[in-house]
Structures are given as structure tokens and as C-alpha cells.
Amino acid sequence: MKKFILFAAVFSFLFISCVKPENEEDTGAVPMVETVSLTDNAVDVNTDIGTISIQYDIPVSVADAGKISLTGMEITATATNLKLNIVFGTLEYGKEYVLTVGEGAVVSKSGNAAAPELVLSFKTVDNPNPPYTPETPGDYSQTLVTENPIPNASRLYSYMLSIYGKNTLSGAMANVDWNLDEAEWICKWTGKYPAIATFDFIHLSDSPSNWIDYGDITPARTWFEAGGIVSAGWHWNVPVSQGSSDLSYDPAVTSFSASEAVKDGTWENEVVKADLTKLAGYLKLLQNEGIPVLWRPLHEAAGNTYTQWHSGAWFWWGADGARAFKDLWIYVFEFLKNEGVRNLIWVWTTQTSEYSDADYSYYPGDEYVDIVGRDIYNLTDAASAASQFNTIAGMIPHKMVALSECGNVAGIGDMWNTGAKWLYFMPWYDYDNDGSKNFAHDHADISWWTAAFTSSGIIDRSELPSDLYE
């Protein structure tokens, strides 16, 4: 027993001797780097990172700040215990930087040993608001970006090309789930159905259930068989964290990363693949019936990133920036193509209102987009709407431009007369579901719709060609 006690005592002494408190000064050891907050040769570094932190294995202090430099930047270097913090201002876009912490700049706390030189290179992200040279719109893409599209998708696209700049298609948004409520409301009070009925796959995770089943395509098929155009978007809800059953599309609520979503092996990628597989099955049910879909996923990605408020993205798919968004868009495009989905007309939504807030960096490219949409709310000045239309048309000159979502905006006829030649328009639904569905509209009430249908060039469902589809 005495031998055991002696051994334990010796072991305890040795263990305690080997564990060095962080604030203990080491009088002989050379400080060595353990971690750096920025990886050497990193790319796409944010311009506003402001600080690079270097952690050493023993407490350090700054001996000669003049030996610490960052290309073209004024810096402040301070040391606290194990960590050296190098603070600087805003970096430039698309520029290569070299951080140098020269030998002797940092020493052990006692000052008896100098840390070796550290050199770190990195490049900042490209300008997310690159300049563009506006072009005269025209020479529009004549074929869909989808390979081997179903015939009715090509027929619908050709029809839209034929009317662009001459007429505007009217549209309405479903009451989120799988229904034609808003279109019926419009017809009840105006006597006309809009040309386009839009649905939302927001409840994909709940389908099929006793209240929502996208596998029952009756609403879309009913509309299509009546000669109407089917449109769909997707408020893509994802787990708020790995393994969670709570879902959200709000980047302030979910940790779901668009950057990680396209990488094999990540939990985000597993979610994306499962959701897209399920979605593809529902889209192919429509395809099997010959129903083309104006498809507007991943909408409003830039959010307020470039607007006057600079408050960032509204949805997780835009929160990691333009490059991550474009990678995600292309991933979704390729995934659905590989699943055999061929009935889609791809609509990308811009947040651009004027040149100074253009989100062109979020544009996936002409080979992945058929139509450019703009969502506008609370803009009753028709001339301002026309200015936005012209800015977008010049930014992406080979694609038709639509008012893909709107609410509380100037009359569609007024916008048209001032130069906003939208391919189509679609007010968001907003009635209170009290059973009457009569006058509770703020976004587009009865008078707005009545004026729209009496405006020249506005196409309702009855005015679509009888031979639009095969």
C-alpha cells in the first residue's frame, strides 16, 4: 500500500509539473505558432475581417511592432497572453495581401526568446458589385437552358418571346399551399382569370399529409387543362441545425450553410440531395402530364446586401454571398437535370433597383437562366418602376424581364406606359382567409385588378392561344 501511495504522489507531481498555466512566463522556450485565424493562401477572404489572430504555445508580447506588416495597410498589433491580434481597416476587393510577422517582432513574455518569422498570403473576395456596361436589350435567347425540354415548355417559351415588349401576362400567387384560391378570387371580382397561376413548394417537408400533398397535382393540372400557365417557386425550409426537426429559411434562425450544401459528405448536402430528390419526383408528375413550369427557385438571394440598408440576405441561400449562391444554383440545376426533369423554364430573381445596388454578381449566367424576374413592393411611382426595368434589361440584355412578384405597386398600365415592359406580373396573395375572401387585399385589391384588366396589352387566361400546348 505504501508503494502505491508513493507512486501516486510522484505521478501527481509529474502531471502537475507538465501542465503549464497560460499566464506562466517561460524563460527559455521559443514561442511557436499553434493556430492562425486565417489559412495561408486563402481566397475569397471578406474585405471587412478587420483582425487576424495568431495563437502561440506560450504567452507572448510585442517587442517590435515595426516588423509586423500587411500589404498597404496601417495595422495595430497587441498581445494578450497567448494571442497576437493584428487589427486593420477594410481591405480592397480582389487583391492579394501578404502578412509578415518578422523574427523578433514577437517574443516570449519574459523577453528571453524571439518567435520565428511568420509569412501569410491571402486574396480577398472579388468585388460583389462588379461594374457592367449596360447593353441595348435584344437578341434574346431563343432556346431554353434545359437540355431536351418537353415540347410544351418550348412552345410556351416561344410564345413568350413572341409577345415580349408587346403584351404582358397577368399572374396570381396561390395562398401558399396547393390551391387556386387567389385566381378564383380575382375572377370572382373581375370576371377574368389571370394567365398564370403560381404555386409554392414551401411545405415540401410536410407532403404528403392530410392537409398538403404535392403528389396530387389536381390544382396545377386543372389550371393547365383550362389553358393557363403554371408557375412555381420554393421557400426552401431547412433544419435550423444538424439533426433538428425545426425548419426555417431565415439565416438568422438556421445555421444551414449554402457553401457547405454543395459539398459531398456534409450534413447540409445530405439535406439538399434528399429535398431535391423529393422535389424532382413532384415536378416529374407535372412533366408526365405535359405541363411546363415557370420555375423560380432560390429567389431574392441578395436581399438587402446592396440596397441602401445593407442589411444582408433574407434567405439562407443568399447569406454566404454571391459565389456560394451561384454554386448552389448550378448544383440545383444540374441535380434536377440528372433526375430527368425537363419541363422547367428557369427564372432568376434580381434585387437590382438601380445601378448603384446592382446584384449582377449573383447572376448564375445566361446558360442557367431563361428569364430574369424582379420583385417589387411598395413602389407606387410608375416612372421608378420603369427605371428599374430598364436598368435590369441593360444589365442582362439577352433575357426577358418579368415583374415576378409585387405588392402595393403602381398600376400595371401606368408602369407599361412609362416604359416598364414586363413579360408578366404577379401580385402576392394577401387576403384574410375569413371565408369571404372579398376586400382584405392590400397588395392588389379589386380596383387594382380591374384597372389591370382594362389596360391595353394585358393578357388574361382566356386570351392565351388555344394552341399554346400540344
Side-chain angles (χ1 to χ4, degrees), residues 100-104 115-119:
T100 302
V101 182
E103 183 177 1
E117 181 181 63
L118 170 70
V119 179

Side-chain angles (χ1 to χ4, degrees), residues 21-337:
E22 285 189 350
N23 59 0
E24 179 182 323
E25 294 185 9
D26 192 317
T27 59
V30 174
M32 302 300 293
V33 173
E34 288 193 328
T35 60
V36 183
S37 63
L38 193 63
T39 305
D40 190 24
N41 295 318
V43 295
D44 294 339
V45 174
N46 288 333
T47 58
D48 58 354
I49 57 171
T51 302
I52 297 175
S53 297
I54 304 169
Q55 183 160 314
Y56 292 86
D57 60 346
I58 61 174
V60 294
S61 61
V62 177
D64 188 351
K67 294 182 176 180
I68 303 175
S69 64
L70 177 61
T71 306
M73 301 295 294
E74 294 186 5
I75 60 116
T76 300
T78 58
T80 304
N81 206 356
L82 303 175
K83 188 172 291 186
L84 172 70
N85 287 320
I86 301 166
V87 181
F88 44 88
T90 302
L91 304 171
E92 295 180 31
Y93 288 119
K95 183 174 179 179
E96 294 184 357
Y97 287 87
V98 177
L99 171 68
T100 302
V101 182
E103 183 177 1
V106 175
V107 299
S108 60
K109 193 72 172 179
S110 65
N112 291 338
E117 181 181 63
L118 170 70
V119 179
L120 179 74
S121 300
F122 63 93
K123 184 179 179 181
T124 52
V125 67
D126 291 336
N127 190 341
N129 188 17
Y132 66 90
T133 302
E135 298 181 33
T136 301
D139 190 22
Y140 301 110
S141 302
Q142 297 297 302
T143 58
L144 293 171
V145 295
T146 296
E147 293 181 8
N148 190 27
I150 66 170
N152 279 340
S154 296
R155 292 170 70 93
L156 174 57
Y157 184 68
S158 294
Y159 167 68
M160 290 190 293
L161 283 171
S162 73
I163 67 166
Y164 187 54
K166 306 170 187 175
N167 299 95
T168 297
L169 295 162
S170 54
M173 179 67 207
N175 181 8
V176 178
D177 51 19
W178 206 218
N179 61 69
L180 295 169
D181 289 356
E182 186 75 352
E184 294 290 352
W185 178 88
I186 293 168
C187 184
K188 176 181 178 180
W189 294 102
T190 67
K192 297 181 179 181
Y193 284 107
I196 303 169
T198 304
F199 305 96
D200 193 331
F201 284 95
I202 186 172
H203 300 301
L204 183 71
S205 62
D206 292 312
S207 176
S209 66
N210 60 0
W211 67 276
I212 181 70
D213 182 6
Y214 295 116
D216 177 5
I217 65 170
T218 300
R221 182 168 51 202
T222 298
W223 190 259
F224 171 75
E225 290 177 346
I229 298 169
V230 173
S231 173
W234 187 16
H235 283 82
W236 192 350
N237 282 304
V238 293
V240 298
S241 59
Q242 185 173 4
S244 176
S245 58
D246 294 329
L247 306 177
S248 179
Y249 50 68
D250 186 347
V253 175
T254 178
S255 63
F256 198 92
S257 167
S259 298
E260 296 298 305
V262 299
K263 298 178 182 178
D264 285 339
T266 64
W267 72 270
E268 291 97 334
N269 185 248
E270 293 302 312
V271 170
V272 163
K273 288 189 292 189
D275 284 355
L276 289 176
T277 300
K278 188 175 184 179
L279 174 71
Y282 289 138
L283 291 172
K284 284 192 287 188
L285 292 177
L286 299 173
Q287 177 174 300
N288 293 341
E289 299 287 329
I291 302 174
V293 179
L294 287 174
W295 174 235
R296 190 172 70 104
L298 305 172
H299 66 294
E300 301 172 0
N304 279 334
T305 300
Y306 306 130
T307 64
Q308 60 181 307
W309 300 282
H310 299 289
S311 55
W314 303 327
F315 303 111
W316 65 263
W317 49 85
D320 284 355
R323 179 164 298 186
F325 169 77
K326 288 191 291 186
D327 289 344
L328 179 63
W329 179 281
I330 294 170
Y331 185 95
V332 171
F333 182 94
E334 295 293 338
F335 193 101
L336 293 179
K337 180 181 74 173

